[in-house]
Amino acid sequence: MTSVNSIRPRWALPTRPPGHDPILFALAMRDMRLTWRARGVLAELATGYTDDDRPLMHQLSSLTREERLAAEGREAFRKAVVELRALGYLAPEGDGVAERLAVNFDAAKDARPVHERLRLDDDYDRS
């Protein structure tokens, strides 16, 4: 069995901070139109890949169970991508299996954040 520490990432780790607007990123992560799964995929794709090292769609969807570790499978990933595309968070670049997914945080301008009644009160002890 392969240990977690012996598995090398297939794609380069980010070498720079993400270039997106942090406010739009925060709105996207709180957009109640998205499932938790879709938010996770969006966060992964927004973690500072350069244009040259962004993984292709088929590379992400074809990860083996051993490579995914705790991550969900192909069908879950596919559903999250469909959801993100439908709301405009992802746009395809290329076609078919050679397609890269470009993140578009402009879609967060239409985000529907958590309803007011679910927000923490000012008196909430955050310690």
Side-chain angles (χ1 to χ4, degrees), residues 3 7 15 20 23 46 49 66 78 85-86 90 102 114 120 126:
S3 76
I7 297 175
T15 56
H20 54 264
I23 301 297
Y49 290 112
E66 184 177 276
R78 187 194 66 74
R85 281 184 177 174
L90 291 181
V114 175
L120 299 175
R126 291 173 178 85

Side-chain angles (χ1 to χ4, degrees), residues 23-32 34 39 42 89 105 108 111:
I23 301 297
L24 290 179
F25 177 78
L27 279 170
M29 292 297 108
R30 290 166 178 83
D31 191 345
M32 292 291 113
L34 295 173
R39 291 181 216 178
L42 185 59
Y89 282 106
F105 281 112

Side-chain angles (χ1 to χ4, degrees), residues 38-116:
R39 291 181 216 178
V41 170
L42 185 59
E44 165 64 25
L45 294 173
T47 56
Y49 290 112
T50 64
D51 288 341
D52 296 334
D53 68 8
R54 280 183 297 142
L56 298 172
M57 170 81 170
H58 82 279
Q59 291 173 318
L60 289 171
S61 65
S62 68
L63 292 172
T64 66
R65 286 186 192 275
E66 184 177 276
E67 291 170 318
R68 287 193 320 261
L69 299 175
E72 295 177 286
R74 292 178 185 96
E75 187 62 21
F77 175 76
R78 187 194 66 74
K79 286 180 180 179
V81 169
V82 167
E83 185 180 335
L84 291 164
R85 281 184 177 174
L87 291 173
Y89 282 106
L90 291 181
E93 291 179 348
D95 58 352
V97 295
E99 177 178 282
R100 291 189 193 275
L101 299 171
V103 175
N104 177 14
F105 281 112
D106 286 341
K109 293 175 183 173
D110 296 325
R112 294 196 182 107
V114 175
H115 191 273
E116 189 68 36

